[in-house]
Amino acid sequence: MGSDIRRVMVTGALGQIGSELVPRLQRLFGTQNVLATDIKEPSSDYSGSYERLDVLELDEVRNLVKGYDIDEVYHLAAILSAAGEMRPDLAWDVNINGFRNVLEVAREGLTNKIFHPSSIAAFGTETPRLNTPQDTVLTPRTMYGVTKVTGELLGKYFFDKFSVDVRGIRLPGVISNVAPPGGGTTDYAVEIFYEAIKKGSYECFLRSDTTLPMIYMPDCLKAFQDLMDAPSENLKHRTSYNLASLSFNPAELAAEIQKHNPQFTITYEPDFRQKIADSWPMSIDDSCAREEWSWTPDYDLEEMVDDMCFILSARHEKGEI
Ligand code: NAD
Ligand code: AKB
């Protein structure tokens, strides 16, 4: 992990990932060097610098980056897969034009480095679904996936053409216990823990055998930092790294949760998200991330479930959830 102090801005900071990325960056670089932004209002006890920012407003993005003398932007503002199928125009606008504004400010020389997550949604039904290769067919079936492929290409274009240092990962579904997920297809893998602890049962919107790639938040944040700290000359796939960690289906996850709570029951009522999940990979070949910036995950399924159950049970006892 690089120890040099950077001034960083996070867009979409109140979402699932930003809610845990910001405190981590505050610990790394000092609270005064981290600016959190989102289109939403934060809670009254929000800790650290916060500005309301709609990433579709180029002047506002520019003013904040300039005003706070930002070295790096973690650009998390986005509309995810399921929400994006409800509002495809909004998904295109936020995911592409919002990113374009951040790239433009970097092209103007106001900031040096951008982290922009892609997703397993970049793949499609023509992509090999087992051990999905790094360089493969990208034919997404969702507007979200279309924006992720476009974002990968846009980031690469700005690097090749204007030397803007853009880096990105095709993230699997992220599992976490601080903020709820924001409208994705992999959300079941978070909701199931909350419902198991609060109600002892869960109705899953995917079929029991729907295997998808997933990652636990501590590994996700480690990957962000490892990629951002990697020497630029090592990065051959800079905006689009495949990343593997966990792969499981709802039945396997439920069985693991039952080890902690034998009374827990799961039922299945697949909805429109099943079709999205069926167009995504089941497992990922991440050898390029391993070779180019030494990626390796820490958590297996059992360790992730242990940790999630422990943390959420404690939150439940305190009356937080
Ligand atoms: P999220 O939906 O939880 O958070 C996104 C945030 O963006 C929200 O707080 C929302 O208020 C904000 N936002 C929406 N429109 C905005 C606008 N116009 N201006 C400013 N902010 C706006 O998403 P997340 O899970 O934290 O995802 C962050 C990034 O990681 C996204 O690019 C997403 O595609 C990517 N990703 C996430 C996952 C996952 O499982 N969470 C997986 C793959 C990729
Ligand atoms: C979603 O389900 O939309 C996200 C993702 C995998 O990109 N979690």
Side-chain angles (χ1 to χ4, degrees), residues 95-115:
N95 298 4
I96 297 301
N97 295 328
F99 182 34
R100 179 75 181 72
N101 286 342
V102 174
L103 288 169
E104 180 56 23
V105 164
R107 191 190 65 78
E108 291 167 7
L110 297 175
T111 192
N112 303 322
K113 219 188 244 186
I114 299 169
F115 183 84

Side-chain angles (χ1 to χ4, degrees), residues 12-18 38-40 53-56 75-80 94 117-120 144 148 171-174 180-183 186:
L14 299 180
Q16 185 192 4
I17 297 179
D38 201 293
I39 199 168
K40 295 189 289 206
L53 172 67
D54 179 348
V55 292
L56 293 173
H75 179 54
L76 304 183
I79 308 296
L80 274 69
V94 174
S118 183
S119 160
I120 53 166
Y144 175 66
K148 288 302 177 187
L171 281 179
V174 180
T186 57

Side-chain angles (χ1 to χ4, degrees), residues 51-173:
E51 296 273 1
R52 188 186 175 282
L53 172 67
D54 179 348
V55 292
L56 293 173
E57 299 296 332
L58 174 59
D59 287 344
E60 289 178 22
V61 178
R62 184 184 286 119
N63 289 344
L64 285 181
V65 167
K66 206 171 171 179
Y68 281 83
D69 194 16
I70 296 296
D71 300 309
E72 295 179 1
V73 178
Y74 288 78
H75 179 54
L76 304 183
I79 308 296
L80 274 69
S81 60
E85 288 310 278
M86 301 296 171
R87 300 193 61 191
D89 292 348
L90 181 69
W92 176 267
D93 207 16
V94 174
N95 298 4
I96 297 301
N97 295 328
F99 182 34
R100 179 75 181 72
N101 286 342
V102 174
L103 288 169
E104 180 56 23
V105 164
R107 191 190 65 78
E108 291 167 7
L110 297 175
T111 192
N112 303 322
K113 219 188 244 186
I114 299 169
F115 183 84
H116 174 255
S118 183
S119 160
I120 53 166
F123 302 115
T125 41
E126 285 84 7
T127 310
R129 293 188 70 206
L130 284 178
N131 215 19
T132 300
Q134 172 71 46
D135 298 310
T136 187
V137 185
L138 300 175
T139 48
R141 287 294 190 274
T142 58
M143 178 55 88
Y144 175 66
V146 170
T147 67
K148 288 302 177 187
V149 175
T150 311
E152 289 180 8
L153 296 172
L154 203 55
K156 185 168 180 337
Y157 178 82
F158 270 69
F159 174 72
D160 292 340
K161 187 96 177 171
F162 307 117
S163 303
V164 174
D165 188 349
V166 188
R167 304 179 180 204
I169 294 169
R170 291 174 180 150
L171 281 179

Side-chain angles (χ1 to χ4, degrees), residues 42-47:
S43 61
S44 51
D45 59 352
Y46 194 82
S47 162

